[in-house]
Amino acid sequence: MKLVANNKKAYHDYFIEEKYEAGLVLHGTEVKSLRMGKCSIKEAFIRIENGEVYAYGMHISPYEKGNIFNKDPLRPKKLLLHKQQIRKLIGSSAEKGYTLVPLQVYFRDGRAKIEIGLARGKKLYDKRQDIAKKDQRREAEKELKLRLRV
């Protein structure tokens, strides 16, 4: 598995309940650009329209050595999921407070994949708790490192 893009902000802003792997429908030079790592999913979001899943705001930079066949970098990309998974996502995302967010883009067996998370938004105090836990863990590791040196 070759990781192309990661969305760390999603883990900070949301509780990830479930994860799904979906295929990406790409055109021509978009694949070459992805292989070079030219992708951003920081501002991306996912919508379900007419029983089909689309990723909006996912930026794949145009391939430098491409030509007139380069596509719009911000065009909506269709995601490939099983019909049962789409039905489950429609039901889950209809609940109040749930949304679909892209977590990472990667290649598996030569095919471009995107990991989708069914997420529930964090409140400000949840984010503060996570930051405090991270700081405590960092301090504990620092102390452990100092003890091992002495």
Side-chain angles (χ1 to χ4, degrees):
M1 187 173 101
K2 181 190 171 211
L3 187 65
V4 177
N6 197 4
N7 192 356
K8 292 180 183 175
K9 193 169 174 24
Y11 290 99
H12 179 18
D13 292 340
Y14 300 99
F15 292 113
I16 308 299
E17 306 284 325
E18 293 181 49
K19 293 180 182 179
Y20 296 93
E21 182 181 70
L24 272 167
V25 176
L26 299 172
H27 295 283
T29 55
E30 288 180 324
V31 179
K32 290 183 179 186
S33 189
L34 258 187
R35 287 195 190 281
M36 293 175 68
K38 307 269 178 123
C39 177
S40 173
I41 57 174
K42 284 184 174 58
E43 290 89 34
F45 60 95
I46 294 170
R47 276 203 189 130
I48 302 173
E49 298 171 354
N50 301 327
E52 294 181 339
V53 185
Y54 291 94
Y56 291 91
M58 181 177 162
H59 188 276
I60 298 178
S61 299
Y63 185 59
E64 296 118 23
K65 298 180 179 115
N67 49 19
I68 58 169
F69 299 112
N70 279 340
K71 297 286 182 183
D72 177 31
L74 287 173
R75 74 175 184 80
K77 280 101 179 144
K78 185 174 177 182
L79 306 182
L80 304 172
L81 286 163
H82 293 284
K83 198 169 277 192
Q84 292 173 318
Q85 290 175 322
I86 294 173
R87 282 195 208 115
K88 189 173 181 181
L89 286 174
I90 289 171
S92 300
S93 63
E95 291 180 38
K96 189 172 182 351
Y98 282 94
T99 186
L100 296 170
V101 292
L103 301 175
Q104 56 185 352
V105 177
Y106 54 91
F107 281 97
R108 175 175 287 165
D109 299 328
R111 298 192 185 336
K113 303 285 183 179
I114 185 169
E115 188 174 59
I116 301 170
L118 179 65
R120 187 169 38 91
K122 284 185 182 178
K123 304 282 188 224
L124 184 61
Y125 58 85
D126 291 328
K127 293 179 189 179
R128 286 181 183 152
Q129 286 175 349
D130 283 351
I131 292 170
K133 284 179 187 175
K134 195 182 286 186
D135 288 343
Q136 285 177 343
R137 193 177 328 115
R138 201 175 296 135
E139 289 294 325
E141 287 175 4
K142 190 185 282 186
E143 286 180 23
L144 184 66
K145 203 179 268 188
L146 288 173
R147 286 183 188 165
L148 290 175
R149 285 186 184 173
V150 175

